[in-house]
Amino acid sequence: MTKRALITGITGQDGSLLAEFLLDKGYQVAGLVRRESWFRHNAASHLAGRIEVLFGDMAEGVDIASAIHEAAPDEIYNLASQSRPGESWSRAPETLLVNGLGAVRLFEAVRHHRPDCKVYHASSSEMFGPTAGASQDETTAFNPVNPYAAAKVYAHQMARIYRDSYGLFISNGILFNHESERRPLHFLTQKISHGAACAALGIVDSLEVNEMGRPIVEGGRLALGNLDIARDWGYAGDFIRAMWLMLQHDAADDFVIGTGKLHSLRQLCEVAYRSVGLDWRDSVVSDPDLVRPLESGQTQANPAKARRVLGWEPTVSFEDMVQKMVMVQVENLRSSNKKSEL
Ligand code: NAP
């Protein structure tokens, strides 16, 4: 029998990749989408006609319940979120409403209307905050240091409470940073890919702007914050497979998903610029105005449980991921240049 999946956050990076993955597996896929998002270009625009679009907002409990009623899903992937930790400082109430309360309303709707449905909930490695240990696994204590992480901790714990108290199948994926060519340009990895692509094409002032409202590349320079940070960065295509594997497992559980490898921002810049034959030190500068007040610390995944229980392994290397992102940026810039010449 054809399986039915409902994805919240389908217009985002993970949601659109997951939708493609599930469609390839023969699923019927529905997505909860904010009306205004569907009518502008988004990461799932190319799936129009192949997915069922259910308009709604995670801030509205009634929208969530009616989407579940309409879609009658066997699996729900709850990916919708105000997903930028930095922005959560200026949007703290909205972040809690969508990332925290929105998730709980979804669990409530499942409890009342679709109790046999399996649920994947998007937790985050941001929940760990600055930690003392060398790497983090499912037993590591949470220490959230921004509103985004605090809201994620709340939803994560509520998922466990609903699982244990009502016997619902809700699995939490504690995912570390995962990137792809679908990241919006204000994300660090994509900003660097864009910077390298501009350098390769000789673009001195890019049309795209950073969080200060200035061109991402200005006067041939790419301004970044703290170059000393390091992250466990993986490729999003690998991570959405882990989400699906969690719901194919016979019991709901929590899983840490990450590569287990730490790379510095300097290494990221080096790989990105090297992939177009350039030296990053000729273009990248550190701007104190772009340094975050409180960084989340250098978290590094220990994905041993996911490897052992789910058989999950990342397949795309850090270098391949960065190169791919840069090449897509080069293509995008070339085609927008061509369009502007017409
Ligand atoms: P993303 O690209 O920013 O996508 C976020 C999605 O949430 C978008 O589809 C957005 O829709 C939707 N959304 C936001 N507010 C909403 C609302 N009020 N009602 C309905 N939908 C709403 O994020 P992502 O990178 O795919 O991440 C997916 C999930 O994993 C998120 O929960 C994120 O916090 C979590 N996560 C991501 C990472 C990572 O490195 N990518 C790491 C750990 C955890 P619009 O198009 O309408 O804005």
Side-chain angles (χ1 to χ4, degrees):
M1 211 176 69
T2 305
K3 277 196 184 175
R4 297 174 61 90
L6 171 65
I7 303 175
T8 74
I10 200 167
T11 55
Q13 168 186 266
D14 291 4
S16 59
L17 289 169
L18 178 67
E20 285 169 15
F21 177 86
L22 294 177
L23 286 168
D24 283 351
K25 289 202 170 293
Y27 279 67
Q28 279 179 25
V29 176
L32 175 83
V33 180
R34 289 191 281 191
R35 188 174 286 275
E36 66 275 18
S37 304
W38 190 247
F39 295 109
R40 58 170 165 73
H41 183 73
N42 65 72
S45 296
H46 63 293
L47 297 176
R50 297 182 67 204
I51 58 172
E52 184 183 0
V53 177
L54 302 168
F55 291 120
D57 194 313
M58 284 300 286
E60 303 290 340
V62 65
D63 291 359
I64 301 167
S66 56
I68 291 174
H69 181 73
E70 287 261 317
D74 303 297
E75 297 174 8
I76 297 178
Y77 296 85
N78 183 35
L79 311 182
S81 143
Q82 191 300 98
S83 62
R84 282 162 245 154
E87 229 174 84
S88 70
W89 290 106
S90 57
R91 297 168 65 190
E94 181 201 334
T95 303
L96 180 59
L97 186 62
V98 175
N99 302 11
L101 192 57
V104 175
R105 283 174 166 156
L106 186 143
F107 305 151
E108 266 295 296
V110 168
R111 174 163 94 88
H112 289 293
H113 307 299
R114 205 72 190 163
D116 294 332
C117 175
K118 293 181 168 185
V119 180
Y120 169 85
H121 173 67
S123 289
S124 165
S125 61
E126 279 278 328
M127 300 189 303
F128 294 124
T131 64
S135 67
Q136 293 75 47
D137 65 14
E138 296 77 7
T139 64
T140 307
F142 299 137
N143 180 24
V145 293
N146 57 54
Y148 168 87
K152 286 283 185 188
V153 170
Y154 170 68
H156 179 95
Q157 301 293 23
M158 290 300 277
R160 299 179 75 157
I161 290 169
Y162 271 64
R163 181 168 75 207
D164 296 343
S165 306
Y166 299 122
L168 299 181
F169 190 114
I170 308 178
S171 286
N172 284 312
I174 309 172
L175 272 52
F176 281 62
N177 290 75
H178 47 282
E179 315 294 316
S180 78
E181 55 286 359
R182 293 204 186 162
R183 274 289 208 202
L185 278 178
H186 48 256
F187 279 88
L188 195 53
T189 46
Q190 192 70 313
K191 213 188 264 184
I192 295 166
S193 307
H194 184 72
C198 284
L201 298 176
I203 298 171
V204 178
D205 293 301
S206 69
L207 296 175
E208 308 289 345
V209 293
N210 65 17
E211 55 271 54
M212 314 289 286
R214 306 209 55 89
I216 292 179
V217 173
E218 191 171 24
R221 292 276 176 270
L222 171 67
L224 301 176
N226 182 359
L227 298 177
D228 293 322
I229 63 157
R231 292 279 181 272
D232 182 333
W233 277 295
Y235 186 63
D238 279 331
F239 284 49
I240 53 109
R241 196 176 69 256
M243 299 173 187
W244 178 76
L245 284 172
M246 282 180 220
L247 297 200
Q248 310 320 304
H249 188 52
D250 48 16
D253 207 340
D254 300 335
F255 293 95
V256 159
I257 303 294
T259 67
K261 293 181 184 143
L262 213 52
H263 290 96
S264 70
L265 195 52
R266 285 172 207 278
Q267 281 173 304
L268 209 166
C269 293
E270 190 187 328
V271 175
Y273 282 78
R274 196 177 57 217
S275 70
V276 287
L278 297 170
D279 186 332
W280 69 280
R281 289 168 297 191
D282 295 334
S283 304
V284 178
V285 291
S286 175
D287 178 348
D289 288 343
L290 295 175
V291 175
R292 274 207 224 166
L294 191 52
E295 290 289 354
S296 296
Q298 304 209 152
T299 48
Q300 183 175 3
N302 174 358
K305 181 175 167 184
R307 196 180 300 127
R308 193 181 69 252
V309 178
L310 304 175
W312 179 81
E313 292 277 359
T315 61
V316 178
S317 71
F318 175 76
E319 286 75 13
D320 287 351
M321 174 186 80
V322 176
Q323 280 167 17
K324 186 172 164 90
M325 290 175 70
V326 174
M327 291 314 154
V328 171
Q329 280 298 311
V330 169
E331 283 314 308
N332 289 349
L333 285 169
R334 278 203 182 116
S335 64
S336 56
N337 275 355
K338 267 191 205 134
K339 275 185 207 146
S340 65
E341 282 164 17
L342 289 176

